[in-house]
Amino acid sequence: MILLALQDIRKSFGTHEVLKRVSFTLQERERMGLVGVNGSGKSTLMKIIAGEETADEGSVNLQKGLRIGYLAQQGELSGQETVQEVVERVFDPLVRMEEEMRSLENEMALHGSDEAALKRLGSRYDALTREFERQNGYGWRSRVTGVLKGLKLWDTREMETSRLSGGERTRLCLGRMLLSEPDLLLLDEPTNHLDLKSIAWLENFLNDYKGAVLVISHDRYFLDHVCGRMAELILGTVETYTGNYTEYVAKRAEVYEVRMKAWELQQQEIARQEAVIAMYRRFNREKSLRLARSREKRLEKIERLEKPQEEGTVRFRFDTRRQTGEDVLQAEGLEKAFGQRILFRDVKMHLRAGDRVALIGDNGTGKTTLLRCLTGEEKPDGGRIRWGTGVDIGYYDQHQAGLHENKTVLDEVWDRFPRMEQYEVRGALGLFLFTGDDVFAPVSTLSGGEKGRVALTELMLRKDNVLLLDEPTNHLDMDSREVLEDALEDYPGTILAVSHDRYFINRFAEKVFVLEEGGIREYLGNYDSYFEKVSRDAEPDAETAGMTRTALDREKRRSREETQRLKEKKEQLKRAEEAIAKAEREAAELEAVLADPETYRDPAAAAEKTKQYNRLKETIDALYAEWETISE
């Protein structure tokens, strides 16, 4: 049964037409993902469905009595209630029903000998009991507990809402809406402010949900696991596809190719017909002119296909200026606390050349702080950080704090690379969709996604061989995320990236580091293999489970190289120690000779022995220095 039907929705803001002829339907229990580039009108369309915006034209048809849950509709929290009181208020009707049932039980006990009263009270009690059970009245408290724990609000359940952070308030409103169980859930970026465990919980919750779901999300992994249908807003219209996000991407590419081929064939036919018409007219005879007019009429009746268009996407690649040594980073015993709050301690980390590592962990474990410690922007409270030889560090800050708000986009990039010509800087910015007068826009006026693209432009131009990335996919639309993944796939350097984007992690990572208060746990493979291991409550495989063949071959090669390097190092140490022992024996023999008074009867021989001894001492000092270098 159709719950929602949109027909020819149009919406403009001034002269900018955001939505044009948007039409689609949503069925009962259907889960549809709504995607499109930033600024394509997804949130505007969601608000029109929820009734918060009105369409300029078209109609929104809802099933009679349909109850809609929209996160932005939840309103402001009073600030005086506790977290638990807020979510429990959803069940006030059940609480009142239970209170009436207890009251009826007391009344029936008082009227034990009045059959008429007992019949009347019993009838009401039976009806209430059946309704109470139908609404799961005996299980609502456990549902509240499950939602609070799933959204990481259990530890704050006794806290007044006025003391919550912005992210906690958003999660609380989401939890309250989920517990209210509307017929249609409208979710605009529901995974924001959730850590990976909470997102996985939300996926399971929505998969078991009895109502329909329309969700806007940049989390492609989430869309893959929740949605069975996708709707793409492109150039003001909607195209729908059956399947999850991955299936939609493949089908969209196929549809685009078919449409482009059909358009190209039609253009070829039109050009051929126009050439024939032109030839007939050159003959300038009555018959040829008649044939020309006939063909022109047929050509006018052809329904012209529109050339398929795609929204602009960034296109770039990362490169390096030089190679690093095999050991890129060695960190031991790192710890960091703010006051009494310990973020992490005893963190040990070893990155080798070419490693591709995702750093994950619960919110508040200090992932960003750890990256800032590695870059030197924060000072750890303890531990040691050693970067290898030839390391050039490129850092992507998710908040783009390094950008200068008072500069234009062009000056922001050009001032960092003054040796480049203006056309070179503009060319680089063009790869990130800053064209024409866009480059003269002040940085302060840019959206989060646009600032992210400026930061990526600078990172691309630096050509560093080690990339530390803090949530690099935040604010990027899906197409841009995929281009970023393609660029990182071809990157020859080393990557350590903090991310909640599991699709992104699956694309680039060959190892997963999980940051906890007591240190880091390492897992080989991408996010899926990590999740499989923790779901089985198994210890991480110490060898190769979950790795791709390429990653496995690379890890085996590194293992062989490491074994060979340790073997050579051991042999070098042995040779150095033998050389030191031999030189010290010779020095001891010369010391005995020089200590003998008879040596000085021949002054020339004594002088030569002294020179030999001094040269030998220098050799011994050099051998010890070599031994220290090898043993490091």
Side-chain angles (χ1 to χ4, degrees):
M1 183 181 295
I2 295 176
L3 295 183
L4 166 69
L6 302 186
Q7 186 66 37
D8 292 331
I9 297 295
R10 293 174 180 266
K11 182 68 176 179
S12 299
F13 294 97
T15 59
H16 178 46
E17 190 175 21
V18 178
L19 304 175
K20 316 170 189 175
R21 306 186 308 279
V22 171
S23 302
F24 67 86
T25 61
L26 190 66
Q27 304 280 340
E28 279 186 338
R29 299 207 66 172
E30 191 170 34
R31 282 99 170 93
M32 178 185 283
L34 181 60
V35 298
V37 299
N38 294 339
S40 61
K42 301 185 295 295
S43 293
T44 299
L45 182 59
M46 187 82 83
K47 289 177 181 178
I48 289 173
I49 296 170
E52 291 204 345
E53 293 270 3
T54 56
D56 298 335
E57 295 181 27
S59 61
V60 178
N61 301 302
L62 303 174
Q63 187 186 75
K64 187 176 180 180
L66 186 75
R67 295 181 302 117
I68 295 178
Y70 179 45
L71 185 58
Q73 285 183 327
Q74 299 305 303
E76 292 295 324
L77 300 170
S78 69
Q80 304 302 314
E81 292 179 304
T82 67
V83 169
Q84 187 151 353
E85 287 170 345
V86 168
V87 291
E88 287 184 347
R89 196 160 302 285
V90 172
F91 299 100
D92 278 354
L94 281 176
V95 171
R96 289 193 294 269
M97 196 181 300
E98 189 173 16
E99 290 172 350
E100 186 178 353
M101 289 167 61
R102 300 290 85 80
S103 176
L104 287 171
E105 289 170 356
N106 291 332
E107 286 191 59
M108 285 188 291
L110 292 174
H111 296 80
S113 58
D114 189 339
E115 292 186 7
L118 282 175
K119 184 177 181 180
R120 174 176 54 81
L121 293 171
S123 176
R124 174 61 179 163
Y125 185 80
D126 287 343
L128 276 177
T129 301
R130 286 194 297 271
E131 182 62 19
F132 190 73
E133 291 176 348
R134 189 186 70 80
Q135 296 187 33
N136 192 24
Y138 296 107
W140 70 265
R141 289 181 176 82
S142 63
R143 289 176 58 206
V144 167
T145 300
V147 167
L148 290 178
K149 288 184 176 180
L151 295 176
K152 297 296 179 67
L153 292 169
W154 181 251
D155 292 340
T156 62
R157 64 188 183 279
E158 301 298 332
M159 188 183 296
E160 291 186 355
T161 58
S162 60
R163 296 172 54 198
L164 299 179
S165 67
E168 289 169 334
R169 292 168 70 87
T170 301
R171 280 184 274 144
L172 176 57
C173 289
L174 174 61
R176 179 172 62 180
M177 184 185 67
L178 295 176
L179 287 169
S180 68
E181 291 191 330
D183 303 311
L184 172 59
L185 280 173
L186 302 178
L187 304 177
D188 194 345
E189 297 292 355
T191 59
N192 285 359
H193 307 293
L194 299 183
D195 59 26
L196 292 176
K197 292 179 181 177
S198 296
I199 294 173
W201 173 86
L202 180 60
E203 288 170 356
N204 292 330
F205 185 97
L206 293 179
N207 285 326
D208 294 334
Y209 192 68
K210 296 178 181 179
V213 179
L214 179 63
V215 57
I216 297 171
S217 181
H218 283 89
D219 189 331
R220 296 158 296 172
Y221 195 97
F222 176 81
L223 293 174
D224 261 354
H225 285 72
V226 170
C227 298
R229 191 164 167 234
M230 299 295 299
E232 180 186 19
L233 259 178
I234 178 168
L235 301 173
T237 63
V238 160
E239 295 186 354
T240 60
Y241 300 83
T242 302
N244 63 13
Y245 177 81
T246 299
E247 292 169 321
Y248 140 76
V249 170
K251 291 178 180 178
R252 179 184 64 169
E254 292 174 2
V255 169
Y256 178 81
E257 289 176 5
V258 169
R259 288 177 178 173
M260 180 59 76
K261 186 65 176 177
W263 179 83
E264 289 173 347
L265 290 173
Q266 188 183 68
Q267 291 300 303
Q268 291 173 11
E269 178 61 19
I270 290 171
R272 190 182 71 83
Q273 292 292 342
E274 289 174 342
V276 172
I277 292 168
M279 181 184 67
Y280 281 149
R281 289 198 175 281
R282 282 199 301 272
F283 291 156
N284 200 27
R285 295 174 182 171
E286 183 179 350
K287 184 178 181 179
S288 66
L289 292 175
R290 188 168 63 251
L291 289 171
R293 284 193 295 272
S294 176
R295 283 180 177 265
E296 283 176 338
K297 288 179 181 179
R298 288 203 302 270
L299 194 58
E300 288 171 358
K301 292 179 180 179
I302 292 177
E303 185 176 348
R304 303 288 178 109
L305 299 175
E306 291 187 11
K307 182 179 181 179
Q309 297 183 37
E310 287 193 311
E311 303 276 11
T313 56
V314 297
R315 53 195 187 281
F316 64 99
R317 67 187 302 270
F318 290 114
D319 208 344
T320 60
R321 295 189 304 275
R322 58 177 178 169
Q323 290 184 339
T324 64
E326 175 63 20
D327 291 319
V328 170
L329 169 67
Q330 294 186 36
E332 294 180 356
L334 295 185
E335 57 183 67
K336 185 67 179 179
F338 291 101
Q340 298 299 313
R341 184 188 174 199
I342 298 174
L343 289 181
F344 53 80
R345 58 188 170 193
D346 197 27
V347 167
K348 182 179 180 181
M349 188 184 302
H350 185 192
L351 294 183
R352 296 185 178 91
D355 272 347
R356 312 168 75 80
V357 180
L359 179 61
I360 66 173
D362 293 344
N363 290 343
T365 52
K367 300 181 295 294
T368 295
T369 301
L370 177 57
L371 283 193
R372 291 172 62 84
C373 288
L374 296 178
T375 62
E377 294 187 24
E378 288 273 358
K379 186 177 180 181
D381 297 333
R384 184 180 68 166
I385 298 171
R386 290 182 58 190
W387 288 101
T389 57
V391 167
D392 303 314
I393 302 172
Y395 176 51
Y396 179 90
D397 178 5
Q398 64 167 312
H399 303 296
Q400 286 86 50
L403 299 182
H404 299 85
E405 296 282 319
N406 59 330
K407 292 185 178 181
T408 65
V409 171
L410 179 62
D411 289 339
E412 166 63 30
V413 178
W414 202 2
D415 287 351
R416 293 184 187 271
F417 302 93
R419 295 185 179 181
M420 295 180 67
E421 298 292 339
Q422 187 186 95
Y423 76 88
E424 294 176 308
V425 177
R426 295 194 66 158
L429 286 167
L431 297 178
F432 290 83
L433 306 184
F434 292 104
T435 58
D437 291 339
D438 295 343
V439 300
F440 301 115
V443 172
S444 58
T445 65
L446 301 182
S447 66
E450 289 167 334
K451 288 181 179 179
R453 299 206 309 267
V454 173
L456 285 173
T457 305
E458 295 177 350
L459 194 63
M460 177 191 72
L461 292 173
R462 284 172 55 92
K463 296 185 177 181
D464 297 310
N465 51 30
V466 176
L467 297 180
L468 303 183
L469 309 175
D470 189 8
E471 298 289 0
T473 60
N474 276 8
H475 307 298
L476 295 182
D477 59 52
M478 290 177 173
D479 288 339
S480 299
R481 292 181 182 203
E482 289 177 3
V483 175
L484 172 61
E485 289 158 1
D486 291 339
L488 292 178
E489 192 172 279
D490 297 330
Y491 176 63
T494 304
I495 304 170
L496 175 63
V498 171
S499 182
H500 284 87
D501 188 335
R502 296 161 295 171
Y503 203 98
F504 170 72
I505 294 173
N506 272 347
R507 281 288 306 272
F508 95 90
E510 294 173 356
K511 292 181 182 178
V512 174
F513 286 1
V514 183
L515 181 62
E516 302 165 341
E517 181 182 322
I520 280 181
R521 299 180 68 184
E522 298 186 16
Y523 296 80
L524 293 178
N526 58 16
Y527 178 82
D528 280 345
S529 59
Y530 150 75
F531 187 74
E532 181 183 353
K533 288 167 190 151
V534 297
S535 296
R536 294 197 312 259
D537 292 325
E539 290 297 320
D541 192 339
E543 294 296 330
T544 59
M547 298 184 71
T548 64
R549 183 175 297 276
T550 301
L552 177 58
D553 291 342
R554 184 182 296 173
E555 193 65 23
K556 287 181 177 177
R557 185 176 66 252
R558 284 185 184 151
S559 180
R560 289 195 301 268
E561 291 172 351
E562 181 71 4
T563 301
Q564 182 64 26
R565 188 175 70 85
L566 290 173
K567 182 179 178 182
E568 292 174 355
K569 182 176 181 179
K570 190 174 181 180
E571 291 174 352
Q572 289 174 344
L573 283 170
K574 183 178 179 182
R575 289 195 297 268
E577 289 167 356
E578 289 173 350
I580 290 171
K582 180 181 177 182
E584 286 183 335
R585 285 196 302 270
E586 293 175 358
E589 292 172 359
L590 282 173
E591 285 175 354
V593 170
L594 291 172
D596 187 355
E598 292 295 320
T599 302
Y600 298 95
R601 291 182 179 275
D602 185 349
E608 183 58 29
K609 293 290 185 184
T610 301
K611 288 180 182 179
Q612 289 180 16
Y613 178 78
N614 290 333
R615 286 196 297 269
L616 198 54
K617 291 294 289 182
E618 290 175 357
T619 299
I620 291 171
D621 290 339
L623 288 170
Y624 270 112
E626 180 183 353
W627 181 87
E628 289 177 355
T629 301
I630 295 171
S631 63
E632 285 182 352

